[in-house]
C-alpha cells in the first residue's frame, strides 16, 4: 500500500508595519545620486518607549535637539538650508503621525533637493542614535542591523506535523504548516499485525519528513535564507536528519526542542540566542579566513589603503570591518575615485579639485561594497557574556572595555579587511584604478 505523507499544507504571509526586508532598501539607498550642495539627512533613532510612558521616546527628543543644532548655523535661503529644513519638517511629521507603535527603531533618509524620502520602522533596537548629513546617505548602522538580524528559518516538527517559520528582526514573516495523514491506523496488538503497524508507522514518519524537507529546501532557496534551526523531539529529529538535503544540512546552525504547539513568541525567544551565537561564530570564521587567505594567493587585503583600492576595482567578495572602525577619507564622485586620509593638495588623476569632498571612510567603504554586490561582515567588538567566566571579578570602570577575539585579530590588521574574488596586482593603487 502506498503512503501519502502530507495531507495538507497551509501557507501564511504575516502582514507587518515594519520593514523586515532591509537588504532591498539598503541597495536602493546605496545607489542614490550624490548631492554635494544640499546633503542627505540620515536619521536612525531608538524608538523603544520609556518605562510606562508609551509616547515618550528619547529618540524623538534627540532628533529635535540635534536637527536644530544643524540648522541654526546655516545661512537662510541657501540650497543646503532650504533642503535640510524641509527634510526636518517632513521627518517630524512622519515621526509624530505615521510610526507604528510596535517599532523598536526608525530610519529615514531624506533629501528634499533630490526628491528623496525613504522612511521605515524596524523590529529591533539600533546600537545608537544617528543623525548625520552627507553627500550620500550614511548606511553603516542600517547595514549592521540587517547583518545581525538577517532572516532565518525555524523548522518545528513532530511525527506528523511540521511548522516552518521565517523570522527576521525577531518577528515572523511567514509560516508554512504541513500535516500528515493518520495511516496506518492501529487496529490490533501483537504478532504480525503489530509488526506491520510499526513498519508502516515508521514509513509514514520517514516519508513525511522527506516531503517536508523538500518543501523546506525549495522555500529556503527561493527566499535566499542561509540559516536554519531545527526544533523537534528525538524521534522526529532522527527522521529529518536522514531526510534533509545536504545543502540544507549545511545551513543548520543549531537545534532545540519545542512543542509543536509552541507560540511564535516562544519560538523566537528560544531561537534568538542560537542565532546570536551563530552570528558571532561567523564573524570569527570570517576573520580567520582573512588571516589564512593573506598567505594563499593574496586573496585577502588588510588596512584601509588596500581595502579602498580593492573596492574601487570591484575585487572585494566580502568586506570585513569592526563595528567601531572609523577613518578619514575623500572622494570625487564625478570620476569616481576615492582615497584614505585628508583630501590631497592635488587631484590624483587630474580631475577638478573642487569635486573632491571629505568622507567618512567607513561609510564610503560600505556604500561601495553594496554597489559591487560584496557581502559585508561587521564584527561585534563587545565580548559576549558567554565568553566570560562565571564568578570573574567585576571590571574596573577605568579599564578599557574588553574586545571580542575576532575584533582583536582585526584590530591588528587596521580594523578593516577584505576577502577578494581575485588577487590585486602589485601595480594597482588608488591613483591609477
Amino acid at each position: 500500500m502506498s503512503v501519502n505523507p502530507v495531507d495538507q499544507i497551509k501557507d501564511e504571509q504575516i502582514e507587518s508595519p515594519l520593514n523586515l526586508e532591509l537588504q532591498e532598501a539598503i541597495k536602493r539607498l546605496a545607489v542614490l545620486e550624490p548631492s554635494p550642495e544640499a546633503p542627505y539627512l540620515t536619521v536612525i533613532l531608538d524608538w523603544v518607549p520609556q518605562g510606562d510612558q508609551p509616547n515618550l521616546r528619547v529618540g524623538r527628543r534627540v532628533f529635535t535637539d540635534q536637527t536644530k543644532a544643524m540648522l541654526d548655523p546655516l545661512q537662510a535661503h541657501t540650497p543646503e538650508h532650504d533642503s535640510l529644513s524641509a527634510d526636518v519638517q517632513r521627518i517630524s511629521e512622519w515621526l509624530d503621525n505615521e510610526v507604528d507603535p510596535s517599532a523598536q527603531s526608525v530610519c529615514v533618509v531624506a533629501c528634499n533637493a533630490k526628491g528623496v524620502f525613504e522612511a521605515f520602522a524596524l523590529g529591533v533596537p539600533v546600537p545608537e542614535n544617528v543623525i548625520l548629513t552627507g553627500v550620500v546617505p550614511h548606511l553603516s548602522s542600517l547595514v549592521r542591523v540587517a547583518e545581525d538580524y538577517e532572516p532565518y528559518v525555524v523548522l518545528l516538527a513532530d511525527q506528523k506535523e511540521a511548522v516552518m517559520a521565517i523570522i527576521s528582526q525577531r518577528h515572523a514573516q511567514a509560516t508554512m504548516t504541513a500535516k500528515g495523514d493518520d495511516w496506518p491506523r492501529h487496529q490490533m496488538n501483537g504478532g504480525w499485525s503489530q509488526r506491520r503497524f510499526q513498519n508502516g508507522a515508521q514509513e509514514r514518519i520517514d516519508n513525511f519528513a522527506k516531503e517536508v524537507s523538500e518543501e523546506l529546501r525549495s522555500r529556503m532557496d527561493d527566499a535566499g535564507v542561509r540559516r536554519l534551526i531545527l526544533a523537534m523531539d528525538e524521534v522526529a529529529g532522527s527522521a529529518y536528519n536522514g531526510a534533509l538535503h545536504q545543502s540544507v544540512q549545511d545551513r543548520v546552525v543549531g537545534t532545540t526542542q519545542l512543542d509543536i504547539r509552541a507560540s511564535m513568541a516562544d519560538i523566537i525567544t528560544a531561537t534568538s540566542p542560537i542565532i546570536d551565537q551563530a552570528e558571532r561564530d561567523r564573524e570569527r570564521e570570517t576573520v580567520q579566513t582573512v588571516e589564512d587567505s593573506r598567505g594563499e594567493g593574496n586573496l585577502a587585503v588588510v588596512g584601509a589603503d588596500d581595502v579602498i583600492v580593492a573596492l574601487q576595482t570591484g575585487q572585494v567578495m566580502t568586506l570585513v570591518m569592526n563595528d567601531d572602525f572609523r577613518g578619514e577619507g575623500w572622494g570625487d564622485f564625478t570620476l569616481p575615485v576615492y582615497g584614505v586620509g585628508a583630501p590631497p593638495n592635488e587631484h590624483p588623476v587630474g580631475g577638478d579639485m573642487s569635486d573632491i569632498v571629505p568622507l567618512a571612510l567607513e561609510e564610503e567603504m560600505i556604500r561601495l561594497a553594496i554597489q559591487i554586490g560584496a557581502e559585508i561582515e561587521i564584527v561585534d567588538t563587545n565580548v559576549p557574556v558567554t565568553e566570560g567566566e562565571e564568578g570573574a571579578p567585576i571590571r574596573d570602570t577605568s579599564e578599557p572595555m574588553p574586545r571580542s577575539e575576532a575584533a582583536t585579530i582585526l584590530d591588528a590588521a587596521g580594523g578593516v579587511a577584505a576577502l577578494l574574488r581575485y588577487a590585486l596586482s602589485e601595480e594597482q593603487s588608488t591613483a591609477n584604478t
Side-chain angles (χ1 to χ4, degrees), residues 28-41:
R28 291 197 305 272
L29 296 174
V31 296
L32 289 173
E33 180 184 8
S35 182
E37 292 186 358
Y40 289 91
L41 175 60

Side-chain angles (χ1 to χ4, degrees), residues 86-269:
D87 292 336
V88 170
Q89 180 177 350
R90 187 172 180 185
I91 293 172
S92 295
E93 293 172 353
W94 183 78
L95 292 174
D96 293 337
N97 302 312
E98 299 182 46
V99 179
D100 191 87
S102 65
Q104 297 288 292
S105 57
V106 294
C107 174
V108 185
V109 172
C111 181
N112 185 69
K114 293 290 185 182
V116 173
F117 188 84
E118 289 254 9
F120 39 85
L122 305 176
V124 291
V126 289
E128 59 184 352
N129 293 313
V130 174
I131 302 175
L132 295 170
T133 58
V135 178
V136 291
H138 291 257
L139 300 177
S140 60
S141 294
L142 201 57
V143 169
R144 187 176 174 187
V145 171
E147 196 244 335
D148 277 348
Y149 298 99
E150 71 173 65
Y152 67 97
V153 167
V154 178
L155 178 61
L156 183 65
D158 62 15
Q159 298 176 37
K160 65 174 184 177
E161 186 172 353
V163 177
M164 186 189 79
I166 299 181
I167 297 170
S168 179
Q169 296 178 39
R170 306 288 198 251
H171 289 73
Q173 285 185 282
T175 62
M176 183 275 288
T177 302
K179 294 184 178 182
D181 61 22
D182 292 329
W183 187 90
R185 294 174 177 81
H186 197 174
Q187 296 178 335
M188 60 184 300
N189 294 324
W192 293 338
S193 295
Q194 178 68 12
R195 177 69 60 83
R196 287 197 301 271
F197 169 78
Q198 292 174 343
N199 291 341
Q202 188 60 51
E203 183 183 1
R204 177 184 61 76
I205 294 170
D206 291 343
N207 286 347
F208 180 69
K210 290 177 182 178
E211 187 77 10
V212 171
S213 295
E214 182 54 30
E215 283 285 339
L216 176 67
R217 183 194 64 78
S218 176
R219 291 164 187 255
M220 288 186 70
D221 288 348
D222 289 345
V225 178
R226 300 188 295 183
R227 292 175 179 171
L228 169 66
I229 294 176
L230 303 178
M232 57 192 68
D233 61 27
E234 187 174 343
V235 174
S238 177
Y240 281 92
N241 285 336
L244 291 175
H245 189 274
Q246 186 61 50
S247 66
V248 177
Q249 292 186 31
D250 292 342
R251 285 177 267 187
V252 176
V253 296
T255 62
T256 188
Q257 289 191 0
L258 288 170
D259 188 274
I260 193 68
R261 293 176 293 277
S263 68
M264 189 56 63
D266 288 340
I267 293 172
I268 292 172
T269 298

Side-chain angles (χ1 to χ4, degrees), residues 144-406:
R144 187 176 174 187
V145 171
E147 196 244 335
D148 277 348
Y149 298 99
E150 71 173 65
Y152 67 97
V153 167
V154 178
L155 178 61
L156 183 65
D158 62 15
Q159 298 176 37
K160 65 174 184 177
E161 186 172 353
V163 177
M164 186 189 79
I166 299 181
I167 297 170
S168 179
Q169 296 178 39
R170 306 288 198 251
H171 289 73
Q173 285 185 282
T175 62
M176 183 275 288
T177 302
K179 294 184 178 182
D181 61 22
D182 292 329
W183 187 90
R185 294 174 177 81
H186 197 174
Q187 296 178 335
M188 60 184 300
N189 294 324
W192 293 338
S193 295
Q194 178 68 12
R195 177 69 60 83
R196 287 197 301 271
F197 169 78
Q198 292 174 343
N199 291 341
Q202 188 60 51
E203 183 183 1
R204 177 184 61 76
I205 294 170
D206 291 343
N207 286 347
F208 180 69
K210 290 177 182 178
E211 187 77 10
V212 171
S213 295
E214 182 54 30
E215 283 285 339
L216 176 67
R217 183 194 64 78
S218 176
R219 291 164 187 255
M220 288 186 70
D221 288 348
D222 289 345
V225 178
R226 300 188 295 183
R227 292 175 179 171
L228 169 66
I229 294 176
L230 303 178
M232 57 192 68
D233 61 27
E234 187 174 343
V235 174
S238 177
Y240 281 92
N241 285 336
L244 291 175
H245 189 274
Q246 186 61 50
S247 66
V248 177
Q249 292 186 31
D250 292 342
R251 285 177 267 187
V252 176
V253 296
T255 62
T256 188
Q257 289 191 0
L258 288 170
D259 188 274
I260 193 68
R261 293 176 293 277
S263 68
M264 189 56 63
D266 288 340
I267 293 172
I268 292 172
T269 298
T271 58
S272 291
I274 299 174
I275 286 297
D276 291 342
Q277 185 59 50
E279 177 59 26
R280 304 289 83 80
D281 291 343
R282 184 169 70 177
E283 291 168 4
R284 284 195 296 270
E285 291 167 2
T286 304
V287 171
Q288 187 58 55
T289 301
V290 169
E291 287 290 287
D292 296 341
S293 299
R294 291 172 66 182
E296 295 180 4
N298 295 320
L299 287 175
V301 293
V302 300
D305 291 288
D306 286 342
V307 171
I308 197 70
V309 171
L311 285 166
Q312 291 177 82
T313 55
Q315 291 165 293
V316 174
M317 180 173 62
T318 305
L319 174 66
V320 190
M321 180 184 294
N322 278 341
D323 61 17
D324 60 355
F325 171 77
R326 301 291 182 272
E328 185 181 17
W330 55 267
D332 180 345
F333 293 99
T334 65
L335 291 176
V337 63
Y338 310 93
V340 176
N345 294 323
E346 296 182 2
H347 202 294
V349 293
D352 190 335
M353 280 295 297
S354 64
D355 291 328
I356 290 182
V357 294
L359 298 168
L361 192 58
E362 67 279 4
E363 297 290 343
E364 192 55 34
M365 286 180 171
I366 286 173
R367 193 180 75 92
L368 290 173
I370 297 167
Q371 289 184 348
I372 65 174
E375 292 195 4
I376 300 173
E377 189 66 65
I378 298 181
V379 176
D380 192 335
T381 56
N382 294 321
V383 176
V385 175
T386 54
E387 286 190 15
E389 294 182 5
E390 186 176 351
I394 298 175
R395 183 185 65 86
D396 189 326
T397 55
S398 63
E399 297 177 356
M401 288 291 292
R403 295 173 73 79
S404 66
E405 178 186 356

Side-chain angles (χ1 to χ4, degrees), residues 3-16:
V3 178
N4 181 18
V6 176
D7 187 52
Q8 178 184 4
I9 292 181
K10 179 182 178 182
D11 283 290
E12 180 182 4
Q13 296 293 322
I14 301 173
E15 296 294 328
S16 174

Side-chain angles (χ1 to χ4, degrees), residues 35-100:
S35 182
E37 292 186 358
Y40 289 91
L41 175 60
T42 303
V43 176
I44 303 175
L45 300 174
D46 177 11
W47 209 247
V48 178
Q50 298 301 300
D52 58 354
Q53 303 181 63
N55 295 323
L56 178 61
R57 290 174 168 85
V58 173
R60 184 65 180 89
R61 185 174 68 249
V62 170
F63 174 77
T64 299
D65 293 344
Q66 291 196 18
T67 52
K68 183 178 185 303
M70 287 178 172
L71 284 167
D72 285 348
L74 298 180
Q75 182 178 350
H77 308 303
T78 60
E80 183 178 8
H81 179 277
D82 291 349
S83 183
L84 184 59
S85 178
D87 292 336
V88 170
Q89 180 177 350
R90 187 172 180 185
I91 293 172
S92 295
E93 293 172 353
W94 183 78
L95 292 174
D96 293 337
N97 302 312
E98 299 182 46
V99 179
D100 191 87

